[in-house]
Amino acid sequence: MVDQHSMMVIGGQWGDEGKGKVVDLLSGGFSAVVRYNGGHNAGHTVRVGDRKFALHLVPSGIIHPGCRCLMGAGLVIDPTALLREIDRLAEEGIDVGGRLFLSPRAAILLPTHRALDLAREGVRGDARIGTTGRGIGPAYQDVAQRRCLKAWILTDPAAFETAARSVMEQHNRELITLYDAEPVDIEAAVDELLSAARRLAPTVREIGPDIRRLVDVGKPILFEGAQGVLLDVHWGTYPFVTSSSCLPAFAAVSCGIGARYLGPVLAVMKAYTTRVGAGPFPTEDFGPAGNGMRERGAEFGTTTGRPRRCGWFDAVAARHAVEVAGIDAVALTKIDVLDGMETLKVCVGYETPDGRPVAGVPADAALLESIKPRYVDLPGWEGRTEGVITEAELPAGAVGYLQFLEEQLGVPVVIVSTGPRREETLVRGSSLFAERLRPLIGARSV
Ligand code: IMP
């Protein structure tokens, strides 16, 4: 019998929506949190009191002492980056021992993947994707090419050394011949990898049996997606996407559990839109509105520090996400960044430059790049949403904004985040989803 109370938290836009905060808030109510896609390109920020944790690979549930954290086969793992994160958590008094487990089928990301990522971006010129430079694309390419190393090999140092040398030598030949780039120092890389492998070996263990056992005895799981639907390799703004699937269904593939073990989908979306890296962004605003969002919202990447591109809420792109990812409800973050803006624009339709309507998000990135957004203007609000913890205290304009987004998306906005801290959060409405969330995050019900 499968428990219906497992839950998925995914990004509903181009990443950086604030998933770390939402997952951290909810994870106290779950026996395990699972990361199932991407690698250390992700940056999930969790604030607890005055402490700030920037997580990249470790699931955001780790801050809760009793929470088990599992990492699926669909991840690409840089062993050194993972250890760095584990060590930083230890410095903050958070011990991952005995509760962080890595699928033996996860892919190992090598230093040469990073070098290839940078070299390829370097020769792409105007067609560059603006990757995080972490080696994510080349690692997933090696998964598909069937030459990548899988995490089980961390438990067999001799096999690891032989295989890592062989693959890194192939990569070095590519770096030299295709990109005229500096090869990676293989001796230094092998030393680093072997010392990381020694420490990570005890974490390598199948995660599917754990998930199935927990769910079968009524202990629900929280699945934590990385990046966002619009960065999904199949349903995002291809080719300006990441190399993994960011859709919730991929969790079943990554964990080896079957789709019936997944739960309803909560998508985190920002009250406006941001994007890092290149690619179409129809509602991008280059004027004072966009600059204001960047400044007030501190829109600089957790992983790379790059300034994020900012713009208005794009209800067409968000509705695409609702449809292709099967989103049941939305957690809207950073509404406080819109405090004090006189007029708010929401994009409700796309048109070609000569005024013909375009249905939904087109597959053709060049067409999407040329799109003219059709906006509805909504009034802003004078009061503040910052730090508000009940819907009754929200300014009427903010409630109107939330209701408009719900109409556009066709799903309820059940969580509103009004600041970076755990307590700056409210749960809205009486949907089944909201009722389930309230006790989980201890929200007041007004
Ligand atoms: P990659 O995942 O490093 O290959 O980068 C591909 C695209 O996805 C680039 O536009 C990145 O900026 C974007 N991207 C990757 N991970 C994240 C994330 O966690 N948040 C936001 N954008 C991301």
Side-chain angles (χ1 to χ4, degrees), residues 64 98-99 156 211 270 318 361:
H64 292 263
R99 63 192 185 101
D156 183 341
I211 296 176
K270 244 176 234 181
V361 176

PDB file of all heavy atoms in Angstrom, residues 64 98-99 156 211 270 318 361:
ATOM      1  N   HIS A  64      17.544  19.384   9.454  1.00  0.00           N
ATOM      2  CA  HIS A  64      16.725  18.750  10.499  1.00  0.00           C
ATOM      3  C   HIS A  64      17.423  17.472  10.973  1.00  0.00           C
ATOM      4  O   HIS A  64      17.601  16.544  10.182  1.00  0.00           O
ATOM      5  CB  HIS A  64      15.338  18.405   9.947  1.00  0.00           C
ATOM      6  CG  HIS A  64      14.531  19.625   9.647  1.00  0.00           C
ATOM      7  ND1 HIS A  64      13.604  20.143  10.517  1.00  0.00           N
ATOM      8  CD2 HIS A  64      14.563  20.466   8.587  1.00  0.00           C
ATOM      9  CE1 HIS A  64      13.077  21.241  10.003  1.00  0.00           C
ATOM     10  NE2 HIS A  64      13.649  21.452   8.824  1.00  0.00           N
ATOM     11  N   GLY A  98      25.642   8.594   8.764  1.00  0.00           N
ATOM     12  CA  GLY A  98      24.548   7.650   8.995  1.00  0.00           C
ATOM     13  C   GLY A  98      23.199   8.112   8.485  1.00  0.00           C
ATOM     14  O   GLY A  98      22.193   7.420   8.656  1.00  0.00           O
ATOM     15  N   ARG A  99      23.130   9.295   7.853  1.00  0.00           N
ATOM     16  CA  ARG A  99      21.820   9.722   7.314  1.00  0.00           C
ATOM     17  C   ARG A  99      21.899  10.351   5.927  1.00  0.00           C
ATOM     18  O   ARG A  99      20.915  10.830   5.404  1.00  0.00           O
ATOM     19  CB  ARG A  99      21.094  10.633   8.304  1.00  0.00           C
ATOM     20  CG  ARG A  99      21.772  11.932   8.610  1.00  0.00           C
ATOM     21  CD  ARG A  99      21.103  12.597   9.809  1.00  0.00           C
ATOM     22  NE  ARG A  99      21.690  13.910  10.044  1.00  0.00           N
ATOM     23  CZ  ARG A  99      21.118  15.052   9.672  1.00  0.00           C
ATOM     24  NH1 ARG A  99      19.955  15.059   9.061  1.00  0.00           N
ATOM     25  NH2 ARG A  99      21.714  16.191   9.925  1.00  0.00           N
ATOM     26  N   ASP A 156      35.676   1.036  -4.479  1.00  0.00           N
ATOM     27  CA  ASP A 156      36.724   0.146  -5.017  1.00  0.00           C
ATOM     28  C   ASP A 156      37.851   1.027  -5.581  1.00  0.00           C
ATOM     29  O   ASP A 156      37.879   1.337  -6.782  1.00  0.00           O
ATOM     30  CB  ASP A 156      36.099  -0.731  -6.118  1.00  0.00           C
ATOM     31  CG  ASP A 156      37.091  -1.746  -6.679  1.00  0.00           C
ATOM     32  OD1 ASP A 156      38.316  -1.561  -6.498  1.00  0.00           O
ATOM     33  OD2 ASP A 156      36.623  -2.714  -7.310  1.00  0.00           O
ATOM     34  N   ILE A 211      13.430   3.987   0.413  1.00  0.00           N
ATOM     35  CA  ILE A 211      12.240   4.790   0.123  1.00  0.00           C
ATOM     36  C   ILE A 211      10.998   3.904   0.174  1.00  0.00           C
ATOM     37  O   ILE A 211       9.999   4.232   0.823  1.00  0.00           O
ATOM     38  CB  ILE A 211      12.361   5.481  -1.254  1.00  0.00           C
ATOM     39  CG1 ILE A 211      13.534   6.470  -1.234  1.00  0.00           C
ATOM     40  CG2 ILE A 211      11.056   6.183  -1.630  1.00  0.00           C
ATOM     41  CD1 ILE A 211      13.812   7.138  -2.564  1.00  0.00           C
ATOM     42  N   LYS A 270       8.716  32.331  -8.081  1.00  0.00           N
ATOM     43  CA  LYS A 270       8.918  33.674  -7.557  1.00  0.00           C
ATOM     44  C   LYS A 270       7.748  34.565  -7.979  1.00  0.00           C
ATOM     45  O   LYS A 270       7.137  34.308  -9.026  1.00  0.00           O
ATOM     46  CB  LYS A 270      10.192  34.252  -8.178  1.00  0.00           C
ATOM     47  CG  LYS A 270      11.278  34.516  -7.189  1.00  0.00           C
ATOM     48  CD  LYS A 270      12.532  34.987  -7.875  1.00  0.00           C
ATOM     49  CE  LYS A 270      13.682  34.116  -7.469  1.00  0.00           C
ATOM     50  NZ  LYS A 270      14.945  34.505  -8.076  1.00  0.00           N
ATOM     51  N   ALA A 318       4.642  30.014 -16.845  1.00  0.00           N
ATOM     52  CA  ALA A 318       4.300  29.303 -15.601  1.00  0.00           C
ATOM     53  C   ALA A 318       3.175  28.293 -15.850  1.00  0.00           C
ATOM     54  O   ALA A 318       3.177  27.202 -15.283  1.00  0.00           O
ATOM     55  CB  ALA A 318       3.900  30.306 -14.521  1.00  0.00           C
ATOM     56  N   VAL A 361       4.159  27.953 -24.839  1.00  0.00           N
ATOM     57  CA  VAL A 361       5.601  28.193 -24.999  1.00  0.00           C
ATOM     58  C   VAL A 361       6.088  27.386 -26.199  1.00  0.00           C
ATOM     59  O   VAL A 361       6.063  26.158 -26.160  1.00  0.00           O
ATOM     60  CB  VAL A 361       6.369  27.757 -23.722  1.00  0.00           C
ATOM     61  CG1 VAL A 361       7.868  27.905 -23.906  1.00  0.00           C
ATOM     62  CG2 VAL A 361       5.902  28.573 -22.516  1.00  0.00           C
TER      63      VAL A 361
END
